[in-house]
């Protein structure tokens, strides 16, 4: 009996899968796109100016089926990460919400992995809401973190097979600026989650190998009182949620949210 190595087709963007001759079983590994982080608020001194919420992670679906149950070609759609919300440049204005991931990642009409939800924008004593993780996949993924309603430090994104973004730091009524939260980490994978922004700094973007199949969340940007606030880090591909932007005081720009990571499809055929 001659051993034949599996056929692996990787889709970082939309394309078409072709079933190899002699296929016996097919494994579909799908990751949906992550949501973008919300922007921080830009409010007057003496008001709690709140950071943006972190974006939620995309879904994960992993399933194996008999090759005979599939058509000879299958359309593969790969979702793109949601955009982070833009920084606020107008005094006394709440930050906008980040965008949801753009579409699910699908393997024809057979299987799908949903998109993560964008984090909410921070306001005046109003927290930026957490972007929820996609539901319905075969593995649990992480939500983004909500920011503080008092202008305190941001919180870390939730961890999972794919992880959510950290929230942005705020500015208290004192006023005192605070750090963002770190992005959610990913299990035993060699992926470093986005670090939290400190002292008005930007949230970090995760680092991962080029062939990584799991994504971590971006870190939240830090709040600032006498400078522009920090931006949220970008969630890693595939599927990581973007970090929320930090809050600022009037005269200075708030922090923009980070983008969510794109989706991914890996189709492996066994003979």
């Amino acid at each position: 009996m001659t051993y034949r190595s599996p056929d692996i087709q990787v889709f970082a963007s939309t394309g078409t899968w072709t079933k190899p001759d002699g296929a016996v079983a097919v494994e579909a590994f799908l990751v949906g796109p992550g949501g973008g982080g919300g922007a921080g608020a830009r409010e007057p001194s003496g008001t709690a100016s709140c950071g943006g919420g972190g974006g939620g992670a995309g879904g994960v679906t992993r399933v194996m089926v008999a090759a005979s149950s599939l058509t000879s070609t299958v359309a593969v759609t790969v979702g793109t990460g949601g955009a982070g919300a833009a920084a606020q440049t107008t005094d006394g204005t709440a930050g906008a919400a980040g965008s949801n991931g753009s579409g699910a990642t699908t393997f024809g009409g057979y299987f799908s992995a949903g998109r993560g939800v964008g984090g909410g924008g921070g306001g005046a004593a109003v927290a930026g809401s957490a972007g929820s993780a996609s539901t319905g996949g075969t593995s649990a993924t992480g939500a983004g973190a909500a920011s503080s309603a008092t202008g305190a430090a941001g919180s870390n994104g939730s961890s999972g097979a794919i992880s959510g973004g950290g929230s942005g730091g705020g500015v208290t009524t004192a006023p005192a600026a605070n750090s963002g939260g770190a992005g959610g980490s990913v299990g035993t994978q060699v992926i470093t989650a986005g670090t939290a922004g400190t002292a008005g700094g930007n949230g970090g973007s995760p680092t991962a190998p080029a062939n990584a199949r799991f994504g971590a969340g971006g870190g939240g940007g830090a709040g600032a009182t006498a400078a522009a606030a920090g931006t949220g880090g970008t969630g890693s591909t595939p599927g990581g949620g973007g970090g929320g932007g930090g809050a600022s005081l009037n005269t200075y720009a708030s922090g923009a949210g980070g983008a969510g990571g794109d989706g991914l499809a890996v189709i492996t055929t066994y003979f």
Side-chain angles (χ1 to χ4, degrees):
M1 180 177 180
T2 302
Y3 174 76
R4 185 175 174 185
S5 299
D7 173 83
I8 302 174
Q9 298 182 40
V10 179
F11 297 86
S13 58
T14 296
T16 301
W17 174 78
T18 300
K19 182 164 59 177
D21 292 339
V24 174
V26 176
E27 179 185 61
F29 175 78
L30 310 176
V31 181
R42 172 172 164 161
E43 301 292 350
S45 183
T47 300
S49 189
C50 301
V60 174
T61 293
R62 188 172 191 174
V63 63
M64 184 177 289
V65 295
S68 59
S69 68
L70 304 174
T71 54
S72 59
T73 61
V74 178
V76 178
T77 301
V78 177
T80 54
Q88 274 301 344
T89 57
T90 302
D91 286 349
T93 308
S99 298
N100 299 339
S102 178
T105 295
T106 63
F107 183 61
Y110 298 107
F111 313 110
S112 67
R115 63 187 183 181
V117 174
V126 177
S129 59
S132 57
S134 174
T135 59
T138 59
S139 300
T141 61
S147 67
S148 166
T150 63
S155 297
N156 298 346
S158 296
S159 298
I162 311 290
S163 298
S167 58
V171 179
T172 65
T173 58
N178 290 284
S179 301
S185 60
V186 177
T188 59
Q189 297 291 311
V190 186
I191 300 172
T192 302
T195 53
T198 58
N202 298 331
S205 297
T207 56
N211 62 347
R213 296 192 183 183
F214 300 91
T225 57
T231 61
T234 300
S236 65
T237 294
S248 67
L249 297 183
N250 286 349
T251 304
Y252 304 102
S254 72
D262 294 336
L264 180 72
V266 181
I267 312 301
T268 303
T269 303
Y270 300 93
F271 303 95

